[in-house]
Each structure stands twice: as structure tokens, then as C-alpha cells.
Amino acid sequence: MAKIKVTYRKLGKEQVIGLAYLDHNEIELDPRLKGKRHFEILIHEIMHIQNPAWEEAEVIRKSRQMCNLLWREQYRRCDNTSKSDL
Ligand SMILES: [Zn+2]
């Protein structure tokens, strides 16, 4: 199974906060996404790539279910940055 690439770009113009490019195994997320919302949208876009036939409503339902469960189990993003551009 091909690796899914994740990139970040402000997506205001597209009226979305995340995009999945099914043909390229690539996800674009708005860098302003934080915390649980970031987690949910990341899972959501992964599910679009893994399940291209699913309707939007099904992706929303299943990504929220997975996000809520993993969040309840205390999975969080860990920032291990050791250098700063500032
Ligand atoms: Zn979607």
C-alpha cells in the first residue's frame, strides 16, 4: 500500500479545511487546524483515500467515531521540534 503524503496549505479559497487527492495518495490540510479538529480532519481525509467509494456522510460518521475513541484513549499529537526558525 502506497504511503500517503500530508502537506499543509491555507485552504480558505477552496472553502474547505482538508482535501484528499485520491489519485496521488496525498492529503492537504489547512495549517490553522489544531488539536482535536486537526486529528479528526486528518482521519477524515485518510478515510477518503482508503475508501474512495464511501459517501461523504459515511466518511464524516466513521472519522468522528474513530477520532472520538482515540481522543478518549488520550492519543495526542506530540511536538518534538528541537529547532525553531525564530
Ligand atoms: Zn470529506
Side-chain angles (χ1 to χ4, degrees):
M1 193 163 249
K3 188 173 175 178
I4 299 171
K5 186 180 176 188
V6 181
T7 58
Y8 289 85
R9 178 169 69 90
K10 280 193 179 179
L11 296 170
K13 277 186 223 116
E14 287 82 356
Q15 304 271 312
V16 293
I17 48 180
L19 287 169
Y21 299 96
L22 306 186
D23 300 340
H24 304 97
N25 266 356
E26 185 172 345
I27 292 167
E28 262 190 344
L29 297 175
D30 194 301
R32 294 167 290 189
L33 281 169
K34 303 291 179 203
K36 190 179 179 190
R37 191 81 174 127
H38 173 264
F39 194 36
E40 181 192 330
I41 301 304
L42 177 60
I43 293 168
H44 179 105
E45 302 305 344
I46 292 167
M47 285 186 173
H48 269 305
I49 288 183
Q50 290 183 334
N51 309 282
W54 286 6
E55 301 281 343
E56 182 66 17
E58 189 172 13
V59 172
I60 290 171
R61 200 169 59 246
K62 291 188 175 173
S63 58
R64 282 187 182 157
Q65 183 183 47
M66 183 180 287
C67 175
N68 286 334
L69 191 157
L70 293 173
W71 196 260
R72 213 161 54 233
E73 291 295 319
Q74 302 182 345
Y75 280 88
R76 299 291 186 273
R77 188 176 213 186
C78 182
D79 186 350
N80 286 323
T81 306
S82 59
K83 292 180 195 163
S84 171
D85 294 335
L86 299 175

